[in-house]
Amino acid sequence: LLRSAGQGPRVSPAGTWRVGHYDVKGETRVVLQKVREGDTRVLDEHVIASVRSDDPDYDAKFLAAMDTARQRQALFEAEDGG
């Protein structure tokens, strides 16, 4: 297939991947975020899991999501050459 000059492959901007989590409307979102060094602006974000705050298995699900996020972080860093 032919591409026009402006349709090259999507390139992710340079940055560092970090694992994070935050609360939104009664749920904790575990995320993998790409940020620039020395900057707090998020360049890219992948939601790994959302866990309801009132879930009886919250701790186990949260810890499993954090583990998955760390594994994905290692994979993304390897792909980025980091």
Side-chain angles (χ1 to χ4, degrees), residues 30-80:
V30 176
V31 296
L32 186 58
Q33 298 174 328
K34 189 173 210 179
V35 295
R36 281 199 185 126
E37 292 291 333
D39 191 354
T40 58
R41 186 172 37 126
V42 175
L43 303 172
D44 195 1
E45 180 176 282
H46 296 260
V47 176
I48 304 301
S50 293
V51 184
R52 292 205 39 85
S53 300
D54 60 356
D55 188 317
D57 295 324
Y58 177 89
D59 289 340
K61 289 179 179 180
F62 174 78
L63 292 173
M66 291 293 286
D67 186 48
T68 299
R70 288 185 191 101
Q71 290 174 16
R72 194 149 320 153
Q73 177 185 20
L75 176 68
F76 284 11
E77 287 174 347
E79 289 176 352
D80 285 350

Side-chain angles (χ1 to χ4, degrees), residues 16-35:
T16 303
W17 289 101
R18 69 178 180 192
V19 174
H21 59 87
Y22 53 86
D23 292 331
V24 177
K25 298 181 182 178
E27 289 186 340
T28 299
R29 288 188 187 158
V30 176
V31 296
L32 186 58
Q33 298 174 328
K34 189 173 210 179
V35 295

